[in-house]
Amino acid sequence: MDDANMEGKEWEGDFDPLADPEEKRHLLSVLESFRSYRRLAHLNGTHVRRQAFYSLPQEYWTMLSKPPFSFLDSLNRLDDLIDSNAELAEAIFTAGFKGFIAPTIDSDWVASIIPEKFARDEYRIYSIVMDHLNVQTTQNDMDKARSCINQFYRDWTAAGNVEREKCFGPVLEALNAEFTARSLSNPTLDRSEIKVLVPGAGLGRFVFDISQVGFSVEGNEISYHELMASSMVLNHTQKAEQFSIAPFVLSCSNHLSRADQFQTFAIPDIHPGTALAINEGSKVPANERMSMSTGDFCVLYSSPDYKGAFEAVATVFFIDTAPNIIRYIEAVRNCLKPGGLWINLGPLLWHQPPQGPKSPEENDHSHGYSYAHDAGIGDPGSVELTNDEVMALVEHLGFCIEKQESGTIETGYISNPRSMLQNTYRPVFWIARKR
């Protein structure tokens, strides 16, 4: 057993998820959802379809087994692509276990349960530990793991740049314009002096892109699925196009051809480690200008520690994740410097159903980053506002709206351009400045 396998934490902070039994159970469930991807995708993706296929009358399934249909060959191809997706899922599991769990486990105990032939296989070691801990996952976490794998198409493939450019492009333009305006009165201003916060950082691509143009940037994320996946791609990939994914393979509807369903894409389209080693646009090295924080956005960035910490906050497809949008606005206001910029792009697909008061049992067993006096997004109550109402609220709570555009951007979200079903967002883009 190599003790190096059990060294190093990638996420640091005041909140320790392993200190709380419920939070630890949730964390292990997330890890198990990635580890289970291969088995469950084969079960639900091909096994049940084979059963249904052979339930047809024999003359029907015999006909469909032959060209030009070759349905069984398609299922075999689907199995191969599931395995390809699973390689990514298992890499995320390995990175997540290594970052969150491995540093807390007694190396002597681990060595006692690992066969010598697996002593240098991190995935096998961590998987055996999970088996000994009798970890179970939930349907919700399994669904999130599947969604997370598909999200790599949008964030870390060349083809996904179509969506990224529409969503990230206007925000980057606004940040560049702000830097240019500030440079007029301060010609020696370096881009690294513009500190940007990205709440809901997801898989980390937008954080990475902001750092690439020279700004200092901090991403924030509460989802363990997203934290583990972003850490894997940013910190543990060895080269560009290391993995291949088929993001549409498990959806069998609205395809014109099997080739459309079986499209594959290489990830990452750019190797983050190599790109971060090339310092452009700033005097400060790129890897020193980019960081990630874990935890509840409302709790962390409403605290005195973050008061006036940033020149800009960039929210993309984020504000509609708030049960209580006022908490988000207050957190942005707190962490922005006077005159700081809030740049937002997204729809208002409110994620949370209306919430009433929670019972004491629910409050005690919530899966999130909470403190004794503040449950953040776990606080009771929710409200679903129109864009006009959100704008009025932003102004009421201390901002001046400098720009607002609607109907000028159309974009999908992890959408298959070849599908017969197309969901299109027409997000609002606005810029507000803290008074």
Side-chain angles (χ1 to χ4, degrees):
M1 176 67 196
D2 185 358
D3 287 343
N5 287 332
M6 290 295 163
E7 292 178 359
K9 278 191 176 182
E10 291 180 8
W11 298 278
E12 301 291 346
D14 294 333
F15 181 78
D16 179 8
L18 300 182
D20 177 76
E22 286 297 318
E23 198 68 27
K24 181 178 180 179
R25 187 176 296 113
H26 174 53
L27 174 58
L28 290 171
S29 174
V30 173
L31 285 166
E32 181 63 16
S33 70
F34 284 118
R35 187 174 77 119
S36 300
Y37 181 96
R38 186 187 302 268
R39 175 178 60 84
L40 294 174
H42 281 305
L43 174 64
N44 299 316
T46 55
H47 178 69
V48 295
R49 285 186 170 86
R50 285 190 176 92
Q51 287 184 318
F53 180 74
Y54 283 118
S55 295
L56 294 169
Q58 183 174 357
E59 62 270 26
Y60 293 172
W61 65 254
T62 300
M63 175 182 65
L64 292 172
S65 298
K66 301 174 182 177
F69 314 103
S70 303
F71 188 75
L72 291 175
D73 290 343
S74 293
L75 291 181
N76 290 338
R77 177 59 178 155
L78 196 156
D79 274 326
D80 292 339
L81 295 173
I82 286 173
D83 285 335
S84 183
N85 287 356
E87 290 182 14
L88 175 61
E90 289 163 5
I92 296 170
F93 161 76
T94 301
F97 192 103
K98 188 173 185 177
F100 280 105
I101 304 298
T104 72
I105 297 179
D106 180 78
S107 295
D108 292 336
W109 174 74
V110 173
S112 72
I113 64 172
I114 302 299
E116 183 61 31
K117 62 181 178 179
F118 298 142
R120 296 188 179 276
D121 186 331
E122 282 187 327
Y123 173 77
R124 289 288 193 129
I125 292 169
Y126 301 157
S127 189
I128 291 170
V129 171
M130 293 285 283
D131 288 337
H132 277 73
L133 295 176
N134 296 316
V135 176
Q136 302 294 320
T137 190
T138 66
Q139 183 63 51
N140 184 50
D141 285 333
M142 289 185 287
D143 291 342
K144 288 182 178 179
R146 173 177 167 178
S147 176
C148 191
I149 296 300
N150 294 345
Q151 191 179 336
F152 273 88
Y153 165 74
R154 178 180 186 266
D155 284 10
W156 289 100
T157 72
N161 190 55
V162 174
E163 292 182 3
R164 293 198 303 272
E165 179 58 32
K166 290 183 177 181
C167 296
F168 300 167
V171 182
L172 291 171
E173 289 178 10
L175 288 171
N176 285 325
E178 178 71 3
F179 172 75
T180 299
R182 293 187 181 214
S183 297
L184 294 176
S185 59
N186 183 6
T188 63
L189 182 69
D190 189 72
R191 282 176 174 261
S192 65
E193 297 177 59
I194 305 295
K195 298 180 181 179
V196 184
L197 173 65
V198 179
L203 299 187
R205 182 56 185 258
F206 192 32
V207 174
F208 173 80
D209 286 353
I210 292 174
S211 77
Q212 286 299 100
V213 295
F215 300 114
S216 296
V217 57
E218 179 174 316
N220 167 250
E221 183 57 60
I222 191 172
S223 164
Y224 287 134
H225 286 91
E226 306 285 345
L227 286 166
M228 293 176 190
S230 64
S231 175
M232 191 285 299
V233 71
L234 290 170
N235 301 317
H236 298 285
T237 49
Q238 299 172 345
K239 61 181 180 178
E241 302 186 349
Q242 181 173 340
F243 299 94
S244 177
I245 61 168
F248 314 121
V249 71
L250 292 177
S251 174
C252 293
S253 299
N254 292 307
H255 297 294
L256 289 171
S257 70
R258 288 296 173 193
D260 292 345
Q261 181 182 5
F262 294 159
Q263 294 173 82
T264 60
F265 304 89
I267 62 160
D269 59 315
I270 182 172
H271 181 227
T274 300
L276 290 171
I278 302 172
N279 192 50
E280 296 180 350
S282 172
K283 299 175 183 176
V284 180
N287 59 4
E288 295 180 16
R289 290 186 279 102
M290 188 177 79
S291 63
M292 289 282 287
S293 72
T294 67
D296 188 312
F297 169 68
C298 295
V299 174
L300 287 179
Y301 295 96
S302 294
S303 70
D305 291 343
Y306 277 100
K307 187 171 181 62
F310 299 96
E311 279 73 24
V313 173
T315 50
V316 175
F317 277 66
F318 175 72
I319 64 171
D320 51 7
T321 65
N324 177 1
I325 184 68
I326 297 173
R327 291 297 310 274
Y328 275 18
I329 299 171
E330 289 176 337
V332 172
R333 183 182 63 194
N334 179 71
C335 68
L336 271 178
K337 293 180 179 178
L341 215 59
W342 183 4
I343 310 167
N344 177 76
L345 186 147
L348 291 176
L349 177 63
W350 297 106
H351 287 43
Q352 303 289 339
Q355 298 179 29
K358 291 187 177 182
S359 68
E361 291 77 12
E362 290 175 313
N363 282 326
D364 287 343
H365 297 90
S366 60
H367 292 315
Y369 295 78
S370 60
Y371 294 80
H373 64 287
D374 188 348
I377 60 172
D379 277 343
S382 62
V383 62
E384 299 149 316
L385 302 181
T386 67
N387 183 68
D388 288 346
E389 291 164 342
V390 170
M391 292 288 87
L393 196 56
V394 169
E395 287 191 298
H396 181 74
L397 292 176
F399 291 85
C400 295
I401 306 299
E402 294 191 345
K403 182 177 183 178
Q404 182 181 184
E405 295 178 358
S406 60
T408 60
I409 301 170
E410 291 190 353
T411 180
Y413 196 93
I414 321 179
S415 60
N416 179 359
R418 300 184 190 176
S419 173
M420 289 184 280
L421 174 64
Q422 296 293 327
N423 291 316
T424 302
Y425 288 101
R426 301 178 70 191
V428 173
F429 174 63
W430 50 261
I431 300 173
R433 192 174 299 275
K434 180 181 174 181
R435 290 197 290 265

